[in-house]
Amino acid sequence: MYKLRSLLDPIADESLLSHIVRTAEENCLKPDNMAELVGTKTGGIVPLLFDRSLAEKLAPLLGLTLDEIQLKMYLPLSGEAPQQAPRTSRIGARFTNTGVLNLPRQSTMHSFFGTPVNREDFYFSSRRFAPGALAEGGYHRASWDIDFIFSNRETGEMLQTTCGYCKKKPNWRTKGVTSCTCKEDLRHEKAIPIPEELRDLSSFLHGLIDPCSEVRARCRSNLPRPLRDLSVSTLVDLMATVGHLASRCSAEAKAVLKDLTADRRIGLMLLGYQHLAEWPGQILPLIEQALNEGVSGSFRQHLALGRIFPIAERAEYPETKSILLSIAMEVWAGSLEPSAMAS
């Protein structure tokens, strides 16, 4: 086993990628060299997070225990959570020429400090950052690895994705997590505070993935009973779906989305979050109003097949599953032509 000259002490809430990048810099290596040292050369360092077989090689290389490594690696859950239904909220579902529903590939759940999170909800295409948090600690928080987390809880600032100097997105091949590819110091970027209307949503999302089980339980206790057993990813999908419905039939909701045009998904989650407290009484009127507005058949089909059905299939609470499946069937039946129904 290759031995590094200098090792770093682990930080509790630091992402494993951040620890690897900082260790590489400390040893005058490129981050991708760390992947090569444990026997993988494809895709850089990101795949190290999802490979259980690499845990035993990473631990001694970084001077950490196997438990410390496995806690920070986003390993697939086996025996703890079943394989999830296909996610279609981003890709969508389509009918083949024979009328058979063709769904995208299945996704699996991975552990985020003990919390099951959908693999597709991890964000690594670029490196997000919060200038104030980087200035305080100089490392990348693990929560920044989650796609639907849009802020840093401790410093109260929005996560950013673009360097203000070169206008490019920092990546994981950069030496050090405080520098951009252009060598600009990201700690000097202007921090963007969390808008007032997003603070409750930000706190809720952070609570869902908190490493402390008591915090997670307290966060879920504020949800209506049928929704408390949904996985984090399913809850986020449900919020986005409800927000999508609200934005179709409410002038006030459309105004909210217009004000949050920088990230439409945040706006949809905000609208959905505001409606969860009155589940399911708020959902049925939203769907009915959206359909009565004469929306196109393609949207109605996408609504049923691409959004509601997959969420219903992932629902563990029988009442939630029953309500969602009934809604999806009603929307589906009203959106398809008779020939498609016959097939």
Side-chain angles (χ1 to χ4, degrees), residues 96-288:
T96 64
N97 293 333
T98 59
V100 177
L101 180 61
N102 181 26
L103 291 170
R105 64 177 176 80
Q106 288 192 331
S107 302
T108 56
M109 302 299 282
H110 289 64
S111 173
F112 179 81
F113 291 85
T115 301
V117 176
N118 194 296
R119 168 70 180 262
E120 293 180 9
D121 277 322
F122 289 96
Y123 183 98
F124 301 115
S125 59
S126 61
R127 181 159 50 84
R128 301 189 295 172
F129 63 95
L134 283 180
E136 283 187 4
Y139 64 94
H140 177 100
R141 273 69 169 170
S143 60
W144 301 353
D145 289 343
I146 305 295
D147 185 30
F148 53 78
I149 296 296
F150 56 82
S151 63
N152 185 68
R153 176 166 49 183
E154 290 75 20
T155 56
E157 58 186 319
M158 299 289 284
L159 295 179
Q160 301 182 40
T161 59
T162 307
C163 171
Y165 183 78
C166 68
K167 308 302 180 185
K168 295 182 180 179
K169 295 182 178 181
N171 58 47
W172 288 105
R173 288 180 168 82
T174 307
K175 273 195 174 184
V177 292
T178 60
S179 299
C180 175
T181 312
C182 68
K183 310 302 182 184
E184 182 73 6
D185 194 330
L186 298 175
R187 293 172 293 187
H188 297 159
E189 296 286 329
K190 182 179 179 180
I192 303 173
I194 304 174
E196 180 70 30
E197 62 269 28
L198 292 178
R199 289 180 184 173
D200 284 348
L201 174 61
S202 173
S203 177
F204 173 74
L205 293 174
H206 276 284
L208 287 176
I209 63 167
D210 195 279
C212 177
S213 59
E214 294 181 358
V215 174
R216 296 198 302 269
R218 188 162 58 248
C219 177
R220 286 182 176 272
S221 69
N222 296 323
L223 291 169
R225 182 173 294 277
L227 305 181
R228 293 179 190 173
D229 293 332
L230 296 180
S231 71
V232 172
S233 296
T234 303
L235 265 177
V236 172
D237 270 355
L238 181 60
M239 283 194 294
T241 299
V242 174
H244 188 75
L245 289 169
S247 69
R248 303 284 303 196
C249 54
S250 166
E252 183 179 350
K254 292 176 182 177
V256 170
L257 282 185
K258 186 175 181 181
D259 291 340
L260 293 169
T261 51
D263 193 326
R264 178 177 172 83
R265 192 184 186 204
I266 293 178
L268 293 177
M269 286 193 296
L270 174 63
L271 292 174
Y273 173 69
Q274 293 171 341
H275 285 86
L276 285 189
E278 299 184 38
W279 168 270
Q282 283 278 15
I283 312 301
L284 297 174
L286 283 174
I287 292 178
E288 183 179 5

Side-chain angles (χ1 to χ4, degrees), residues 41 74 164 271 332:
K41 297 183 180 180
Y74 306 140
L271 292 174
W332 184 27

Side-chain angles (χ1 to χ4, degrees), residues 29-95:
L29 297 171
K30 294 180 180 179
D32 284 355
N33 292 149
M34 303 290 283
E36 296 173 4
L37 292 177
V38 293
T40 179
K41 297 183 180 180
T42 58
I45 63 173
V46 172
L48 297 180
L49 294 175
F50 302 99
D51 193 335
R52 195 181 302 272
S53 65
L54 293 176
E56 293 183 354
K57 297 179 181 179
L58 272 174
L61 179 67
L62 298 176
L64 303 177
T65 66
L66 186 58
D67 288 343
E68 288 173 325
I69 283 289
Q70 290 184 332
L71 183 66
K72 290 176 177 288
M73 292 178 75
Y74 306 140
L75 301 176
L77 293 172
S78 57
E80 300 172 31
Q83 190 175 48
Q84 301 299 294
R87 276 194 62 170
T88 57
S89 58
R90 298 178 191 174
I91 306 173
R94 291 184 174 86
F95 278 100

